[in-house]
Amino acid sequence: MVQAQDDLVEYGYRRVLITITAVLCALLEIVDTTIVNVALTDMRGSLGATLTDVAWVITAYAIANVIVIPMTSWLSQQFGRRNYFVTSIIIFTISSFLCGNATNIWELIAFRFIQGLGGGALLVTAQTIITESYPIAKRGMAQAIYGMGVIVGPTLGPPLGGYLVDNYSWPYIFYINIPLGIIATILAISFVRSPKYGEKLKANQVDWWGIFFLASFIGSLQFVLEHGQQDDWFNDSLIVTLSVVTVLGLILFIWRELTYKHPIVNLSVLKDGNLRIGTIMCFILGFGLYGSTLIIPIYTQSILGWTATDAGLLLIPGSITTAFMMPIIGKLIQRGVPQGYMVGVGFFIFFLFTFMMYNNMTPDTGVEHLYWPLILRGIGLGLLFVPITTLSLSTLQGKNIGEGAAFTGMMRQLGGSFGIAIITTFITRFSQKHRVDLVAHLDTTKFEVQQRVEILQRGFMSKGFSSNESLNKAYQVIDYSVMKQSTVLAYMDIFLYLGIMFLLCIPIIFLIKKGKNKINPADAMH
């Protein structure tokens, strides 16, 4: 990715079509990250897989994504941006077809990995293409259009996946990509242009060791995060081995990139103070964004008994709010409102969202209690997403902007992985703790407890069960309600701690330096 060049600016229908192509590709990649979640149960049934095996359908895609994102800038320069972009769309589309046709779980996982390699490139490259197609004065709006796709994408996945699984079958969540991929390929070949890059590297100059260390460090880390909880963390020998590989891979990767003449990832760009602060804030944003997106569908489906489609639809108003905020934020940045202030307000609003969720969660909460907190979350995301990524790059210039953007994208993904891993671990731990506490208060000698058991027992006896069977069933009902209550208390704890984390992040904004060059939001959003 090189500095935006005027000769890549498009006008009229060409710009419209390039914008549609870029947003379509970004949407394809993002929707595919979340659409699979609601289809896992059906996949298990038809492919005869265990829960651990089927979780790999998500893990494989995520690992491939995170490996490719930091290398995208370099790959574009090696092969030409348009060639790389078109190849990525074709890889993504063909592997979508192969995923739908997979006959066993390991075939599906292999094709999902290949799909992730194609998809990771789409997001970052689509961003750069849309940036450079607009003149500098209009990049705020370009950013807003792209931002809408990026924010609405994760929310479209679950309801769309739920609809396709309920009405057709799980392969259709992959087949839906095929016509869209073909359209995107034709549009990209016809309208996307490549900037002129410098000299390409010869095969013997390519940083193969850098690629190997990056893949081993990121791949191992992603695996540890996704499978740590279910494999009991460091009591599992594979998790311990891969944790060692992660640490060694990271050290060797840093050493290689700082000493090699043609590094695959330019680490020297992190000397910039604002980029360092920005990558930390992107990590926190990913943690909160993906973490809260994980809890809400689980809570509504497992505790409140909603369908997958209803759980997905609940998130849509908040996403629309964020999409509505995007152009407003873009304009405020162009008028010179400091991004640091917006980020501070965004963190505070996110804290208010978590606090409202903490107060509103019960085993029978209604839609009306969740609606406004999620609207608030949408406003908070709007105030965080664009300003964090623009201020990260506000003191960078030239091709460093593209390299910095790859870091912010990677850190947001890793923040999400850490968030999901830590939250799933704590849900299990907190649920167990609350269950022990609740059971301790269930004294069977108390009149209220005896009365409750008796009412339940009579209810079952009236349905024709014997006295002993009815008593057992009464205890099962009480046990289930204890489990439900302890899970809700665990979710409440998670929201409380998330809120505290966001509050503690507010002082970070005072470390931001004022950018000398005025960066457009569009240069930032990766």
Side-chain angles (χ1 to χ4, degrees):
M1 272 171 260
V2 294
Q3 196 166 5
Q5 296 172 8
D6 290 338
D7 63 353
L8 290 174
V9 174
E10 299 282 3
Y11 295 93
Y13 77 96
R14 283 184 66 90
R15 187 162 75 199
V16 172
L17 288 169
I18 286 176
T19 306
I20 290 168
T21 311
V23 172
L24 177 65
C25 291
L27 265 176
L28 273 177
E29 139 67 14
I30 293 170
V31 168
D32 251 66
T33 313
T34 54
I35 197 168
V36 173
N37 299 16
V38 291
L40 294 180
T41 313
D42 291 74
M43 288 177 185
R44 271 179 71 190
S46 68
L47 297 174
T50 65
L51 185 62
T52 315
D53 291 343
V54 87
W56 268 101
V57 174
I58 296 172
T59 310
Y61 188 83
I63 289 174
N65 253 210
V66 178
I67 290 170
V68 161
I69 287 172
M71 294 175 10
T72 302
S73 174
W74 181 85
L75 288 165
S76 286
Q77 290 174 40
Q78 287 306 299
F79 301 107
R81 188 192 298 145
R82 183 178 65 181
N83 297 346
Y84 177 52
F85 189 55
V86 170
T87 306
S88 297
I89 302 171
I90 291 168
I91 290 171
F92 185 86
T93 310
I94 291 172
S95 51
S96 295
F97 172 75
L98 294 171
C99 283
N101 279 14
T103 53
N104 63 58
I105 190 69
W106 298 110
E107 266 183 33
L108 178 58
I109 290 163
F111 297 140
R112 271 290 277 179
F113 184 81
I114 298 165
Q115 190 189 33
L117 291 176
L122 295 183
L123 203 53
V124 186
T125 321
Q127 169 63 37
T128 319
I129 289 166
I130 208 170
T131 301
E132 296 185 355
S133 301
Y134 280 74
I136 286 171
K138 292 197 173 168
R139 284 191 187 158
M141 207 39 68
Q143 164 63 10
I145 295 163
Y146 181 79
M148 286 178 202
V150 169
I151 289 287
V152 175
T155 316
L156 282 178
L160 180 62
Y163 175 80
L164 290 170
V165 170
D166 292 344
N167 293 286
Y168 301 97
S169 59
W170 68 261
Y172 282 87
I173 64 172
F174 297 115
Y175 292 152
I176 196 171
N177 294 336
I178 297 166
L180 297 174
I182 292 167
I183 293 165
T185 307
I186 294 164
L187 288 172
I189 291 168
S190 309
F191 297 103
V192 173
R193 293 188 292 162
S194 281
K196 295 173 186 70
Y197 290 114
E199 210 177 318
K200 292 180 188 175
L201 296 182
K202 297 180 182 73
N204 62 348
Q205 292 177 311
V206 173
D207 186 11
W208 297 112
W209 279 110
I211 294 171
F212 173 73
F213 292 140
L214 174 73
S216 57
F217 137 61
I218 294 271
S220 304
L221 174 63
Q222 191 79 27
F223 178 89
V224 169
L225 292 173
E226 300 241 356
H227 290 262
Q229 170 56 29
Q230 65 199 45
D231 297 344
D232 202 18
W233 291 106
F234 298 111
N235 294 328
D236 181 82
S237 57
L238 180 61
I239 294 289
V240 172
T241 309
L242 288 178
S243 300
V244 173
V245 172
T246 300
V247 175
L248 279 177
L250 175 60
I251 293 165
L252 291 168
F253 173 68
I254 292 170
W255 165 78
R256 174 72 178 181
E257 299 312 279
L258 292 176
T259 55
Y260 190 62
K261 193 180 171 189
H262 307 287
I264 185 95
V265 178
N266 178 16
L267 293 181
S268 63
V269 78
L270 286 171
K271 287 176 185 164
D272 183 89
N274 279 4
L275 180 62
R276 284 202 302 275
I277 295 164
T279 51
I280 293 165
M281 290 202 286
C282 276
F283 184 86
I284 295 157
L285 174 63
F287 196 106
L289 170 64
Y290 292 104
S292 55
T293 310
L294 168 86
I295 302 178
I296 294 161
I298 296 176
Y299 165 65
T300 50
Q301 285 174 267
S302 63
I303 304 293
L304 304 180
W306 295 13
T307 65
T309 314
D310 288 340
L313 290 172
L314 175 71
L315 294 169
I316 286 178
S319 293
I320 292 168
T321 307
T322 311
F324 176 73
M325 292 283 294
M326 285 285 184
I328 300 168
I329 302 293
K331 285 209 170 99
L332 288 174
I333 292 173
Q334 284 179 340
R335 284 186 183 160
V337 176
Q339 290 103 314
Y341 295 166
M342 292 190 210
V343 172
V345 174
F347 278 141
F348 185 70
I349 287 177
F350 227 97
F351 162 73
L352 291 178
F353 149 68
T354 57
F355 190 67
M356 282 176 79
M357 290 299 288
Y358 172 75
N359 281 327
N360 289 351
M361 281 186 135
T362 67
D364 44 23
T365 299
V367 174
E368 66 279 8
H369 301 111
L370 299 174
Y371 183 78
W372 288 109
L374 289 170
I375 294 283
L376 207 57
R377 175 178 177 269
I379 295 169
L381 274 179
L383 283 163
L384 290 172
F385 210 88
V386 183
I388 284 178
T389 35
T390 49
L391 74 83
S392 307
L393 313 179
S394 61
T395 45
L396 295 176
Q397 290 177 332
K399 73 179 176 70
N400 288 352
I401 293 176
E403 290 163 344
F407 277 108
T408 56
M410 183 174 79
M411 289 304 279
R412 196 167 60 243
Q413 292 281 87
L414 283 178
S417 300
F418 269 91
I420 288 167
I422 291 167
I423 285 169
T424 46
T425 302
F426 278 110
I427 285 173
T428 310
R429 304 269 160 94
F430 290 159
S431 298
Q432 286 163 350
K433 179 183 164 294
H434 287 303
R435 184 182 168 79
V436 170
D437 294 346
L438 287 170
V439 169
H441 288 97
L442 271 179
D443 185 354
T444 47
T445 58
K446 277 189 182 169
F447 175 68
E448 294 90 342
V449 178
Q450 288 176 342
Q451 196 179 28
R452 177 87 179 121
V453 171
E454 208 175 301
I455 291 166
L456 287 166
Q457 186 182 13
R458 275 202 225 111
F460 284 116
M461 282 169 76
S462 69
K463 289 176 183 168
F465 292 102
S466 71
S467 176
N468 279 346
E469 279 178 329
S470 298
L471 187 62
N472 285 336
K473 284 192 176 292
Y475 283 133
Q476 278 172 0
V477 168
I478 288 174
D479 183 59
Y480 177 70
S481 63
V482 165
M483 188 188 77
K484 208 171 175 181
Q485 189 64 52
S486 60
T487 311
V488 171
L489 288 168
Y491 292 156
M492 286 167 65
D493 289 348
I494 298 286
F495 275 111
L496 184 65
Y497 290 126
L498 265 180
I500 292 166
M501 182 184 82
F502 278 104
L503 262 190
L504 293 175
C505 287
I506 294 174
I508 297 175
I509 65 172
F510 297 113
L511 300 172
I512 297 160
K513 294 190 186 80
K514 189 99 176 85
K516 292 182 191 69
N517 57 323
K518 213 173 174 190
I519 279 276
N520 253 292
D523 296 326
M525 265 260 318
H526 282 273

